[in-house]
């Protein structure tokens, strides 16, 4: 991942958090807010280094927790956990397949809130485990599963806009041309 | 396998997580408020865009509609002026009687208008950020209300922003009173529905049988009864509307009663609120 990609990932994390704190549509329609950071983490974990995973986990997690009543840093640890797991197994994931993107997005989007809730249960601010929370968890997992292929497409498009594209090689080479003469 | 730089990256994350998780509450709140400052340009942009859209929408409203609305507002203003005159007279009388009875005078509320700028992204908490802070005289534990009723209380205060914990959150419990029966209880969260809270620790009624009305302190506790803040505890002033009773049941092996309340304020649609400086 080059510097441009790192900056664009952090910018995407900033926008994702801004979207989550200011857009109420999902809350009103489905009763739960969908988190976009796990989807972003899937993209970074499958296509970048562990340093980028760490950077996204720290910046994204802290930004998200700053607007929340969660203890500061708990989302950082959850995102880092999901990112590290995916990064460690990235050779086994067909990252260009939409199906694989959806499934890894589902896994990460289920794992991150589950880890946060698990951490909160053992903290001084326990969250009551209810049927409503389970429903919200499912909405978050499904929302993240849908968002992950979109994140891959967004970054692929950005790559096409801002990176040098390889020139398509022609089969014709002037040096290999057979010069026709009299004989 | 993980290489050395990767171990370093993981170590940095673990260390950062540990440091932030072990911060004292006050320091963590300050860091959180500082981090929300990163989003101020975006909130400013959103506000400007909404303002432009509102002005564009106003520009296309037909003049007839505006004139009709103006007439309605004038009539309403006249009615309100009469009501205010009556209320002021009642307040003066109340003050006079309180003085005669030797009660301390009630100080009037100072209302500070605020706009909701962000919501808690975590689904298990119910907090919002408002655009007023310590520079505007906002302090921790000040009640936050809307014209419909109580919304919550201020939990964290920054210079220009504050966090409000809403009714129905684990960290917002309110001493309340049923208006009709004067029964006191505590408003607690109700996990299954965000528009409902529980009013608990109501005094014990007679055993509930099918078809029998529940009796508390000799007065019936019925669905539709209004619930207001009681003023006990000193955080919320008395008389702010919280909601109305939906149903009542006996709990704790009949030791006390619990009522479910429908909140007066739609907390999902909060936009403009008022902070009460008592």
């Amino acid at each position: 991942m080059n510097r441009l990609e790192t900056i664009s990932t952090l910018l995407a994390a900033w926008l994702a958090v801004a979207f989550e704190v200011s857009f109420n549509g999902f809350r009103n329609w489905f009763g739960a807010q969908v988190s976009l950071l796990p989807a972003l983490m899937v993209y970074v974990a499958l296509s970048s280094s562990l340093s980028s995973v760490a950077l996204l986990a720290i910046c994204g997690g802290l930004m998200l927790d700053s607007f929340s009543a969660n203890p500061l840093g708990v989302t950082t640890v959850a995102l880092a956990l999901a990112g590290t797991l995916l990064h460690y197994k990235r050779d086994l994931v067909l990252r260009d397949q939409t199906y694989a993107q959806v499934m890894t997005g589902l896994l990460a989007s289920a794992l991150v809130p589950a880890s946060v809730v698990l951490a909160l249960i053992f903290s001084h601010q326990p969250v009551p485990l209810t049927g409503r929370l389970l429903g919200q968890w499912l909405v978050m997992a499904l929302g993240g599963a849908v968002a992950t292929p979109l994140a891959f497409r967004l970054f692929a498009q950005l790559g096409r806009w801002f990176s040098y594209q390889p020139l398509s090689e022609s089969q014709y080479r002037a040096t290999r041309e057979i010069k026709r003469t009299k004989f | 396998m993980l290489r050395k730089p990767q171990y370093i990256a993981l170590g940095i994350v673990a260390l950062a997580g540990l440091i932030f998780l072990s911060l004292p509450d006050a320091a963590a709140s300050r860091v959180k408020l500082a981090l929300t400052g990163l989003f101020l340009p975006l909130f400013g942009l959103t506000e400007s865009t909404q303002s432009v859209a509102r002005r564009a929408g106003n520009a296309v409203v037909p003049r007839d509609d505006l004139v009709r609305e103006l007439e309605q507002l004038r009539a309403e203003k006249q009615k309100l002026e009469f009501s205010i005159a009556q209320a002021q007279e009642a307040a003066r009388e109340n003050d006079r009687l309180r003085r005669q009875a030797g009660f301390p005078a009630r100080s009037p509320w100072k209302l500070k208008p605020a706009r909701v700028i962000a919501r808690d992204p975590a689904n298990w908490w119910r907090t919002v950020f408002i655009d007023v802070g310590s520079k505007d005289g906002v302090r921790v534990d000040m009640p936050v209300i809307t014209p419909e009723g109580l919304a919550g209380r201020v939990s964290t205060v920054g210079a220009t922003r504050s966090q409000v914990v809403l009714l129905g959150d684990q960290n917002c419990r309110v001493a309340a009173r049923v208006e009709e029966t004067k029964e006191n209880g505590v408003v607690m969260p109700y996990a299954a529905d965000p528009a409902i809270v529980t009013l608990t620790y109501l005094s014990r009624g007679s055993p509930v049988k099918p078809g029998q009305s529940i009796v508390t302190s000799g007065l019936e506790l019925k669905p539709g009864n209004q619930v207001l803040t009681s003023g006990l505890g000193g955080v919320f002033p008395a008389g702010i509307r919280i909601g109305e009773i939906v149903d009542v049941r006996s709990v704790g092996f009949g030791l006390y009663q619990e009522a479910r309340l429908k909140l007066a304020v739609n907390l999902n649609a909060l936009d403009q609120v008022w902070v009460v400086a008592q």
Side-chain angles (χ1 to χ4, degrees), chain B residues 143-194:
Chain B
V144 177
I145 62 171
T146 72
E148 290 80 35
L150 184 68
R153 66 171 174 83
V154 175
S155 60
T156 314
V157 180
T160 57
R161 302 175 293 288
S162 306
Q163 192 173 28
V164 176
V165 56
L166 300 175
L167 278 176
D169 189 274
Q170 294 286 321
N171 299 315
C172 186
R173 298 186 181 194
V174 186
R177 191 186 66 226
V178 182
E179 192 178 21
E180 286 81 2
T181 65
K182 312 297 177 201
E183 201 75 39
N184 280 300
V186 179
V187 172
M188 312 254 272
Y190 179 71
D193 187 346

Side-chain angles (χ1 to χ4, degrees), chain A residues 14 18 67, chain B residues 33-48 115 117 129-131 160-161:
Chain A
W14 183 73
F67 281 102
Chain B
L33 284 165
L35 284 168
T36 56
L38 291 172
F39 292 82
L40 282 184
L42 200 70
F43 293 142
L45 188 69
T46 311
E47 173 62 16
S48 308
R115 201 170 59 83
I117 53 172
F129 270 83
I130 55 175
D131 63 348
T160 57
R161 302 175 293 288

Side-chain angles (χ1 to χ4, degrees), chain A residues 14 17-18 20-21 24 27-28 32-33 50-51 54 58 62-74 76-77 80 84 87-88 113 116-117 120 125 127-128 130 132-133 136 140, chain B residues 1-2 5-7 9-10 12-13 16-17 20-21 23 25 28 31-33 35-36 38-39 41-43 117-125 127 129 163 170-171 191-194 268:
Chain A
W14 183 73
V17 173
E20 284 178 44
V21 300
N24 278 330
R27 270 196 195 93
N28 296 335
Q33 180 61 286
L50 208 56
S51 313
I58 291 174
L62 288 180
M63 283 192 287
L64 197 77
D65 285 341
S66 68
F67 281 102
S68 172
N70 284 338
L72 192 66
V74 72
T76 296
V77 176
T84 309
H87 183 78
Y88 191 60
V116 172
V117 169
L120 289 174
Q125 291 181 307
V127 175
T130 59
R132 181 177 162 75
L133 187 66
Q136 288 174 331
M140 291 173 85
Chain B
M1 283 299 290
L2 295 176
Q6 297 180 330
Y7 279 119
L10 275 182
I12 289 171
V13 175
F20 285 116
L21 282 170
L23 279 178
D25 286 348
V31 175
K32 280 185 175 186
L33 284 165
L35 284 168
T36 56
L38 291 172
F39 292 82
L42 200 70
F43 293 142
I117 53 172
R119 284 182 172 275
D120 199 322
N123 290 306
W124 38 89
W125 304 119
T127 65
F129 270 83
Q163 192 173 28
Q170 294 286 321
N171 299 315
D193 187 346
N268 283 334

